[in-house]
Every structure is written in C-alpha cells, then in structure tokens.
Amino acid sequence: MDKIKNISEELKEWIIHTLQSGVSPLAICNGLIKKGFDPKFAYETLFEIVGNGSVTNINHAYQYEPIHISDQGNILHTSDREVYIRAKSIKPVIIQFENVLSDDECNLLIQLAKDRLQPSKVIDANSGAEKAAAGRTSKGMYFRLQENELIAKIERRIAEITNYPLVNGEGLQVLNYQIGEEYKGHYDFFPEKKVDPSKGGQRIATMLLYLNDVEAGGETIFPKTGQLIVPRRGSAVFFHYGNSLGEVDRLSLHSSIPVESGEKWVATKWIRQHNIYHGA
Ligand SMILES: O=C(O)CCC(=O)C(=O)O
Ligand SMILES: [Fe+2]
C-alpha cells in the first residue's frame, strides 16, 4: 500500500497539542509512521511544525474581547434593511443572522459571479502564497471593492452590521460548490509571519453570506466545538477570531462539508484589523 504523504489540519492541530503536552517529536513521528505515513514525510512535517513557532504559541489562551454587534438588541437597523440575530456562540465568537440579503440580491450575486468562476486556491501555511489545493474543490471569484452598485450596497450593509469600516474588508468572494465539493478544515487568519501591516494587518473576522438553500450537505462546521451552520438563502454567519493583541483564536477552525444534493453558493467577506487600501 502507498504510504500517506499528506496531513489534515486537524491532525496538525493534534500534533501541536501533543507536542505541547510534552510528548517528544520522535515519539509522534514513530506514531505517524506506524499509522502508515511515509517516514520522510512524517519527519519533515514534524520538523516544520516544531520550527514554525506554533508550538510555543499554542499554550497561550486566546483572550476574547467584547465585540459590539448586538449592543443594540437583536434587530439591527441598517440604512436599508432590518437584519435579525438568530444564534450566538461565545467561544469561538459566532453570530448567525437572518435577512441579510433579499432573494433578488442573492440571485443577482450568483448571476454576476457565474461567468467569472475559477478553481479556488488556499493560502500555504508556510509561504503565505496562494496555491491550488486538494482540500478545496469549490470554484470562486472576487469582486473588487465597491465594484458595482449591488456590491457597494452589500458592503455598506456588512460594515453597518459588523461595525468594521468597509475599507477593512477584502473584495467580496463568491464560492460555488457542486455535489461532493468541500472546503476542508482551515483558519481564515494568515500565518503569523505573513501578516502585512501595510495591507490592513491580520484578518480578524469573516462574514459568510449564504446565497441559496442546499438540499443536503454543505453545512459550515466548526469541528472543535461541534457547531454546524445550515446554509439558508439570505442568512449569514459572522465569526471573529483576532483580538487587539494580535492573537488568533484556534477554535475558529472551520470547513464546508461536501454538498450531497443540490449546489451551494456563498459570499465571503474577510475583515482585517485596519484599512487595507490606504497605501494604494
Ligand atoms: O463555504 C463555507 O461554508 C465556508 C467558506 C469559508 O470558510 C471561507 O470562504 O473562508
Ligand atoms: Fe473560511
């Protein structure tokens, strides 16, 4: 049988925790090899994990800071729409919203995105560069900030809901998942060494808008805490994972589980600490 030469984010996390609890890298390596991993791959993976700083950081508990989204109650009165808070989680910080987009807005976003879809990429945890990846089988595209009236209106609404200025937001990304397609466990924040202060700094929050109902599958899952969000047209989930100290919340690991029936359309707004564009 071929030896295993790839490793999931979950297993990486488990390795970090195990190292942190005092188990030696060699013992973990031997364990991986016994489980069928390629020995060279296992040694290199351990070397990489021990060398990249995650092991020293992981002990440091993430400090949750207040976010001010529901300070005014559970109905948010944005300039053009009432948005309802439907569920909240404290660790990690997750807020679910309903009525963020109208059916027409969802359909229009899908129409505008359809012809521009490309295979999705992921960010390499070491280099920070975008690369194609087996764990992300969806197709996607980006709108430029305020590219057209619809996008500008949606971006203003997201800024009003989240209390983060529009210029802290990256261009809206639209993703399409067909049957069997998924986005495996990942963090939205950048690897620490790849945070660029001249481009708004670290990513600290994500607003994920659901553009259609999925017949089966396609939930967004937070595997460390067991929370699942069922896609529903016009609804959204906001999660927050970066604090003012520059720490990141590793409980925010999430994935999109494979679509079983129908298809899935979402739009993602990644939000950074500061204005991304002032240098431009
Ligand atoms: O499609 C989903 O449910 C998750 C998408 C996601 O995690 C992302 O765009 O960063
Ligand atoms: Fe994500």
Side-chain angles (χ1 to χ4, degrees):
M1 210 179 73
D2 278 351
K3 298 281 183 196
I4 308 167
K5 284 191 184 153
N6 57 58
I7 190 161
S8 68
E9 280 303 316
E10 283 93 338
L11 187 52
K12 264 195 197 163
E13 282 290 310
W14 176 84
I15 292 174
I16 290 171
H17 281 286
T18 309
L19 284 169
Q20 205 63 57
S21 66
V23 178
S24 78
L26 194 61
I28 298 176
C29 252
N30 289 338
L32 289 177
I33 295 164
K34 256 196 200 148
K35 286 216 173 319
F37 279 82
D38 175 72
K40 185 165 176 285
F41 175 79
Y43 287 121
E44 281 173 359
T45 304
L46 257 294
F47 188 72
E48 196 182 286
I49 292 174
V50 172
N52 75 5
S54 356
V55 180
T56 50
N57 290 341
I58 195 83
N59 232 357
H60 192 70
Y62 177 76
Q63 294 189 44
Y64 290 89
E65 292 171 347
I67 55 161
H68 299 287
I69 291 186
S70 51
D71 288 358
Q72 309 299 320
N74 294 325
I75 302 178
L76 308 181
H77 305 275
T78 72
S79 13
D80 61 352
R81 198 170 178 82
E82 283 188 350
V83 171
Y84 310 108
I85 294 180
R86 283 293 184 247
K88 301 184 208 177
S89 146
I90 294 166
K91 291 183 183 183
V93 174
I94 304 174
I95 303 181
Q96 284 177 255
F97 300 100
E98 242 172 54
N99 203 43
V100 177
L101 300 177
S102 69
D103 291 356
D104 282 352
E105 287 171 334
C106 291
N107 292 336
L108 209 51
L109 266 181
I110 292 173
Q111 285 317 315
L112 290 174
K114 224 168 208 162
D115 297 335
R116 289 163 61 179
L117 294 176
Q118 300 284 337
S120 297
K121 304 230 161 98
V122 295
I123 292 178
D124 184 274
N126 296 311
S127 70
E130 285 204 332
K131 60 173 190 185
R136 199 175 177 198
T137 43
S138 57
K139 289 198 170 62
M141 58 77 67
Y142 287 94
F143 288 102
R144 292 187 307 281
L145 198 75
Q146 298 181 296
E147 179 171 321
N148 58 42
E149 250 177 61
L150 172 72
I151 300 298
K153 188 164 72 167
I154 293 171
E155 288 174 334
R156 186 184 61 196
R157 202 176 295 154
I158 293 173
E160 289 177 359
I161 295 170
T162 61
N163 279 319
Y164 285 106
L166 190 145
V167 288
N168 290 25
E170 297 177 33
L172 193 70
Q173 176 194 229
V174 173
L175 294 176
N176 173 243
Y177 303 81
Q178 296 291 325
I179 290 177
E181 294 183 344
E182 63 182 324
Y183 190 174
K184 287 212 164 81
H186 67 279
Y187 299 108
D188 286 352
F189 50 76
F190 296 122
E192 206 175 322
K193 280 177 256 164
K194 293 296 153 189
V195 175
D196 184 348
S198 75
K199 294 212 174 74
Q202 181 58 282
R203 279 187 185 152
I204 54 169
T206 300
M207 183 77 155
L208 183 61
L209 308 161
Y210 295 99
L211 307 182
N212 74 327
D213 297 326
V214 182
E215 272 169 48
E219 291 93 342
T220 307
I221 177 172
F222 292 80
K224 291 189 171 184
T225 52
Q227 283 146 300
L228 279 123
I229 321 288
V230 177
R232 176 154 186 242
R233 182 161 62 174
S235 71
V237 61
F238 171 84
F239 40 105
H240 193 276
Y241 41 77
N243 67 16
S244 62
L245 304 166
E247 296 169 341
V248 289
D249 183 4
R250 293 183 169 269
L251 288 183
S252 68
L253 185 81
H254 58 281
S255 57
S256 175
I257 67 177
V259 171
E260 285 168 34
S261 171
E263 62 177 332
K264 175 180 176 185
W265 286 92
V266 293
T268 309
K269 172 64 80 179
W270 284 306
I271 300 169
R272 299 193 189 176
Q273 291 171 294
H274 312 291
N275 184 342
I276 302 173
Y277 309 95
H278 60 171

